[in-house]
């Protein structure tokens, strides 16, 4: 009897101790919950007043995708393009834009397909938007692209025509297509926002780290201009409006003045805070030596590369090289394997299936 009572007392004590511990844990959890809630409220208040001070809408804090399409007007005044959106959320939509007009671009070439596929695979965009006056693209490479899972669900066609004047000034016929493209890319980003890349730009890796800024471009070291080959922007980016406005002083006989130099001198040098400078990351400098005469491993450090693949005729070091490589050349799926240089490595890295497509 005594033994039974002793065990009962021990068991009762153990039970009471466990209940006490459970009550303590519940009280601690409740306090932690209250602390977390209060801390979250404090953080939201700090964010609200911080953004209120800088005249930015509250959705920058709450990270709603709806504000990709918001008309912000002057809402970006005070925005920090060094650190980006508060909290690191994306404010540039994940749309990739290509501009392709004219009968010469109806058939998607091997090189075209490489750049489209690299954007599709490496960026994984929500949309690839082709701005074009062509009803549909043709060729075996295009047929292959449209056979890929999710590709057809990603692509969108938007009708567009080249322009021949800006602010009442006629374009010089020799440069019309290029100057038209320079202006249309600004207007496309103003309408949709997203990532604009030239047809000869290769997307090396995902650009999402730059999507938290108002606008992103790369200025070119030692030159008084910036590259227009890769541009990223929210549709309300302030620089887009100011850049287009500089075309009121349009110089039709100058190849790159209005596109990349005038806005740099007149706008960015005065207000560099309007953009995030992806210096050294977008590959907009002249990399033809590295791409076509070397095995250049650093290409993987870039986010995009302007391949200049249509401009292999105007460099003597390419034409008279000591590698027994023939330039200029129109690369196709067959001859690319004969060029044991960086451009082959890039294509095989991402688009090997195009090389061996039957």
């Amino acid at each position: 009897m005594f033994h039974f009572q002793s065990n009962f007392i021990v068991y009762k004590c153990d039970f009471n101790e466990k209940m006490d511990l459970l009550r303590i844990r519940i009280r601690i959890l409740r306090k932690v919950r209250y602390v977390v809630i209060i801390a979250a409220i404090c953080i939201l208040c700090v964010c609200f007043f911080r953004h209120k001070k800088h005249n930015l809408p509250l959705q920058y804090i709450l990270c709603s995708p709806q504000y990709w399409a918001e008309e912000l007007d002057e809402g970006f005044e005070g925005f920090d393009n060094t650190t980006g959106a508060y909290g690191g959320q994306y404010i540039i939509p994940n749309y990739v834009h290509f501009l392709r007009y004219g009968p010469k671009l109806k058939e998607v070439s091997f090189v075209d397909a490489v750049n489209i596929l690299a954007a599709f695979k490496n960026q994984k965009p929500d949309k690839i938007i082709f701005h074009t006056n062509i009803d549909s693209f043709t060729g075996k490479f295009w047929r292959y692209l449209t056979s890929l899972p999710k590709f057809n669900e990603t692509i969108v066609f938007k009708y567009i025509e080249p322009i021949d004047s800006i602010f009442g000034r006629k374009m010089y016929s020799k440069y019309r297509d290029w100057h038209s493209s320079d202006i249309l890319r600004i207007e496309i980003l103003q309408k949709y926002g997203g990532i604009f890349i030239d047809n000869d730009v290769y997307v090396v890796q995902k650009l999402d780290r730059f999507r938290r800024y108002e606008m992103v471009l790369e200025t070119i070291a030692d030159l008084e201009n910036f590259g227009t080959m890769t541009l990223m922007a929210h549709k309300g980016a302030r620089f887009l409006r100011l850049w287009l406005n500089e075309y009121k002083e349009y110089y039709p006989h100058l190849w790159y003045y209005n596109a990349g130099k005038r806005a740099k001198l007149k706008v960015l040098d005065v207000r560099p805070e309007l953009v995030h400078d992806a210096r050294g990351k977008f590959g907009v400098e002249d990399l033809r030596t590295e791409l076509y005469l070397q095995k250049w491993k650093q290409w993987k450090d870039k986010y995009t590369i302007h391949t200049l693949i249509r401009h292999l005729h105007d460099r003597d070091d390419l034409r008279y090289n000591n590698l027994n490589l023939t330039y200029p050349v129109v690369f196709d799926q067959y001859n690319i394997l004969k060029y044991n240089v960086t451009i082959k490595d890039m294509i095989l890295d991402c688009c090997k299936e195009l090389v061996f497509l039957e």
Side-chain angles (χ1 to χ4, degrees):
M1 186 70 179
F2 177 78
H3 179 71
F4 172 78
Q5 288 179 339
S6 298
N7 286 342
F8 177 77
I9 294 170
V10 169
Y11 294 149
K12 185 175 181 181
C13 290
D14 288 344
F15 178 77
N16 289 336
E17 287 178 1
K18 289 179 181 179
M19 290 301 297
D20 289 340
L21 287 173
L22 181 61
R23 292 189 190 98
I24 292 171
R25 287 174 182 173
I26 291 172
R27 285 198 295 270
I28 291 173
L29 287 174
R30 284 176 178 171
K31 290 181 180 179
V32 168
R33 183 181 64 182
Y34 294 142
V35 169
V36 170
I37 292 172
I38 293 170
I41 293 172
C42 290
I43 290 171
L44 281 175
C45 289
V46 169
C47 292
F48 175 79
F49 288 113
R50 182 181 184 275
H51 284 260
K52 185 85 171 172
K53 177 182 177 182
H54 292 298
N55 194 31
L56 284 173
L58 185 60
Q59 56 259 47
Y60 283 104
I61 305 167
L62 303 181
C63 195
S64 169
Q66 295 177 351
Y67 69 92
W68 292 356
E70 289 289 329
E71 299 291 346
L72 294 181
D73 297 322
E74 297 300 321
F76 273 110
E77 284 303 325
F79 186 82
D80 190 339
N81 278 303
T82 300
T83 60
Y86 195 74
Q89 62 273 18
Y90 301 145
I91 64 174
I92 293 177
N94 194 18
Y95 307 153
V96 171
H97 301 276
F98 288 99
L99 182 60
R100 294 177 62 89
Y101 51 66
K104 292 182 179 179
L105 293 182
K106 184 175 179 67
E107 180 173 352
V108 173
S109 69
F110 170 71
V111 170
D112 291 338
V114 164
N115 293 320
I116 294 169
L117 185 57
F120 177 67
K121 280 187 173 184
N122 292 338
Q123 179 55 33
K124 296 179 175 57
D126 297 329
K127 296 179 183 179
I128 296 178
I129 305 177
F130 293 101
H131 303 269
T132 181
N133 59 359
I134 301 169
D135 293 334
S136 61
F137 301 139
T138 61
K140 71 174 184 178
F141 296 110
W142 180 249
R143 289 193 295 273
Y144 173 76
L145 290 175
T146 55
S147 72
L148 295 175
K150 298 185 179 181
F151 185 81
N152 286 322
E153 291 82 359
T154 303
I155 60 174
V156 177
F157 285 82
K158 296 291 184 181
Y159 186 83
I160 200 168
E161 284 282 358
I163 58 177
D164 59 7
S165 64
I166 181 70
F167 292 118
R169 297 287 305 278
K170 294 289 288 185
M171 293 180 178
Y172 179 36
S173 58
K174 180 180 178 181
Y175 296 149
R176 177 208 174 200
D177 286 346
W178 288 273
H179 287 185
S180 173
S181 171
D182 292 335
I183 295 165
L184 288 174
R185 71 190 61 202
I186 302 173
E187 295 180 344
I188 287 168
L189 289 174
Q190 283 184 312
K191 187 172 183 179
Y192 302 100
I195 305 162
F196 185 98
I197 57 176
D198 272 355
N199 294 317
D200 59 351
V201 165
Y202 179 100
V203 176
V204 179
Q205 56 181 308
K206 206 170 181 66
L207 290 153
D208 282 0
R209 62 166 285 191
F210 299 105
R211 290 177 53 211
R212 63 179 184 266
Y213 302 107
E214 172 188 357
M215 180 162 184
V216 190
L217 51 78
E218 181 180 355
T219 59
I220 303 174
D222 303 323
L223 295 177
E224 294 179 331
N225 56 39
F226 58 87
T228 63
M229 307 82 182
T230 299
L231 301 166
M232 300 178 63
H234 183 282
K235 61 180 291 187
R238 294 164 290 173
F239 179 67
L240 292 173
R241 181 178 68 253
L242 297 172
W243 184 9
L244 187 61
N245 196 54
E246 287 301 319
Y247 275 88
K248 290 179 179 178
E249 293 291 330
Y250 172 55
Y251 294 83
H253 291 82
L254 298 180
W255 164 256
Y256 203 62
Y257 177 74
N258 283 94
K261 186 172 184 178
R262 182 177 175 84
K264 171 69 165 58
L265 296 174
K266 299 293 184 179
V267 181
L268 285 187
D269 284 353
V270 179
R271 299 194 64 190
E273 77 277 5
L274 295 177
V275 303
H276 179 84
D277 189 350
R279 179 65 70 87
K281 299 296 185 182
F282 282 0
V284 299
E285 68 271 34
D286 187 346
L287 294 171
R288 282 176 289 184
T289 298
E290 290 84 350
L291 298 182
Y292 302 109
L293 292 177
Q294 298 178 7
K295 296 280 282 185
W296 183 56
K297 295 182 180 180
Q298 288 78 10
W299 70 270
K300 289 190 175 183
D301 297 332
K302 302 287 186 181
Y303 283 80
T304 66
I305 292 178
H306 184 218
T307 63
L308 284 163
I309 208 161
R310 295 170 295 185
H311 300 273
L312 304 181
H313 59 280
D314 55 359
R315 283 272 300 266
D316 286 343
D317 61 334
L318 294 181
R319 295 174 61 191
Y320 306 108
N321 64 81
N322 58 6
L323 301 175
N324 294 321
L325 298 176
T326 301
Y327 293 109
V329 61
V330 177
F331 283 115
D332 58 38
Q333 68 186 110
Y334 308 109
N335 63 22
I336 187 62
L337 295 175
K338 300 176 183 178
Y339 286 75
N340 193 27
V341 290
T342 307
I343 191 66
K344 184 186 80 169
D345 294 342
M346 291 168 57
I347 291 173
L348 291 179
D349 182 76
C350 176
C351 309
K352 183 183 295 185
E353 62 265 44
L354 296 177
V355 176
F356 301 104
L357 184 66
E358 295 296 331

